[in-house]
Amino acid sequence: MALALRSLSSCVAGRGIRQALSHSARVVPAPVTSIRVRSVSTKVSAEVPLYTTVEKGEKDTLDYRMFFKHGSKDVSCWHEIPLYAGNGLLHYICEIPKETSAKMEVATDESCTPIKQDVKKGKLRFYPYNINWNYGMLPQTWEDPGVTNPELQAAGDNDPVDVVEIGTASAKRGGVYKVKPLGVLAMIDDGELDWKVIAISADDAKADLVNDVEDVEKHFPGEIKRVLEWFRDYKIPDGKPANKFGYDNKCMNKEFTMHVIQETHENYVKLKSGARANTEELSLI
């Protein structure tokens, strides 16, 4: 369900190009020279160039923020980038590029919801090892802590829905991309439901081959298991217990995934419109 929402106020800020060669009719027949036509890929980049970022504060400090702009206008990546991108694709914002360890996240409680580094006990947070995939969030989604999933008996974690993008290329922090959703894992983190949508960049070489969970197993054998184990175990080096997963650790299929995305989008709409009280004091601009 696509729903365009206006911000409540302004923030502070192959198939290639085919070269056709036509030969006009000749009065006198002549030998035809064989011409080899080179196929050039025209697959459009998944990155959405409409949005740019501005960094403020020194990197690797508590003051660092990455803000988003649409042209000259300051925008919130959570509120003002649409969820649905057309043709079955979604927009996602990359918070953590693959093979990096800084735990970056959209600050949902700050005006304009910039990206910042997560903090615990006054210190910047890092994963104990690099994350092996591009990781980010779906705009205009919200896992409502006031809504308990009846099957999992867990409420939302008060964040947008997370995306694990399994494509080959490294994304950039703050990049806005079109992705194809493929499946979803129901992670339970400290008793909270924290969905992990498995997706692939729309311009990945294998994007056309994967449309559901079974395709991921065929073309990325073992990848979903690796994602599950990474998110299950990443807190263990810090002395915390492993995270758990609902549905017997199963990655749910595309149809189920789209239902989760629609439901969390509807939760977001209720929050943004005021139909659901903003008891968590999130920034709605």
Side-chain angles (χ1 to χ4, degrees):
M1 172 184 70
L3 178 56
L5 295 170
R6 296 186 178 179
S7 175
L8 298 180
S9 65
S10 176
C11 301
V12 176
R15 295 200 177 183
I17 300 174
R18 300 190 177 184
Q19 299 176 340
L21 299 175
S22 60
H23 299 272
S24 58
R26 295 174 174 82
V27 176
V28 180
V32 178
T33 302
S34 177
I35 299 176
R36 180 177 297 174
V37 180
R38 183 180 178 185
S39 176
V40 180
S41 175
T42 58
K43 190 172 239 184
V44 178
S45 171
E47 186 172 4
V48 180
L50 296 175
Y51 304 97
T52 57
T53 57
V54 175
E55 296 176 293
K56 296 184 180 181
E58 188 176 348
K59 289 184 178 180
D60 302 320
T61 70
L62 298 175
D63 296 326
Y64 174 83
R65 297 291 186 276
M66 175 180 279
F67 291 89
F68 288 75
K69 298 181 79 68
H70 183 192
S72 61
K73 180 178 180 253
D74 297 311
V75 296
S76 159
C77 64
W78 185 24
H79 300 309
E80 297 181 82
I81 295 175
L83 169 61
Y84 295 100
N87 297 320
L89 302 176
L90 304 171
H91 289 120
Y92 103 102
I93 294 92
C94 179
E95 298 163 309
I96 308 174
K98 68 193 304 183
E99 303 306 333
T100 65
S101 64
K103 195 173 185 306
M104 311 300 293
E105 63 181 13
V106 170
T108 56
D109 59 349
E110 296 184 14
S111 180
C112 261
T113 63
I115 291 177
K116 69 171 186 178
Q117 190 162 353
D118 193 19
V119 177
K120 187 170 184 179
K121 296 181 179 179
K123 294 183 179 181
L124 298 175
R125 290 187 67 188
F126 291 86
Y127 290 122
Y129 31 72
N130 287 350
I131 191 168
N132 306 132
W133 308 273
N134 298 307
Y135 187 63
M137 53 82 82
L138 293 178
Q140 297 187 7
T141 62
W142 183 51
E143 297 170 344
D144 188 345
V147 175
T148 298
N149 182 291
E151 296 178 290
L152 303 173
Q153 287 301 298
D157 72 346
N158 196 35
D159 282 324
V161 173
D162 295 323
V163 173
V164 182
E165 194 276 302
I166 62 174
T168 302
S170 294
K172 65 183 182 182
R173 182 188 302 167
V176 180
Y177 299 91
K178 294 179 181 180
V179 293
K180 180 190 291 187
L182 304 168
V184 68
L185 293 164
M187 191 172 93
I188 310 296
D189 183 356
D190 288 332
E192 297 177 332
L193 180 54
D194 186 5
W195 296 107
K196 304 296 182 188
V197 169
I198 309 298
I200 189 167
S201 178
D203 60 1
D204 189 85
K206 294 185 178 181
D208 292 339
L209 302 176
V210 289
N211 295 289
D212 214 322
V213 174
E214 61 269 18
D215 299 326
V216 179
E217 288 302 321
K218 179 179 178 181
H219 297 284
F220 295 85
E223 197 75 350
I224 292 175
K225 181 182 178 183
R226 285 189 285 270
V227 171
L228 185 145
E229 291 177 345
W230 196 97
F231 283 97
R232 181 193 67 193
D233 298 341
Y234 79 89
K235 291 184 177 181
I236 293 177
D238 293 330
K240 294 184 176 181
N243 287 318
K244 298 179 181 179
F245 289 82
Y247 304 108
D248 296 322
N249 295 338
K250 180 181 178 181
C251 184
M252 307 304 283
N253 66 13
K254 171 74 168 279
E255 182 180 5
F256 187 99
T257 302
M258 297 310 295
H259 174 76
V260 168
I261 291 168
Q262 178 179 335
E263 186 176 74
T264 54
H265 178 55
E266 290 173 353
N267 290 342
Y268 166 84
V269 170
K270 292 175 184 176
L271 174 70
K272 188 71 162 60
S273 67
R276 197 280 200 196
N278 185 16
T279 53
E280 284 68 30
E281 300 182 351
L282 300 169
S283 174
L284 300 182
I285 60 173

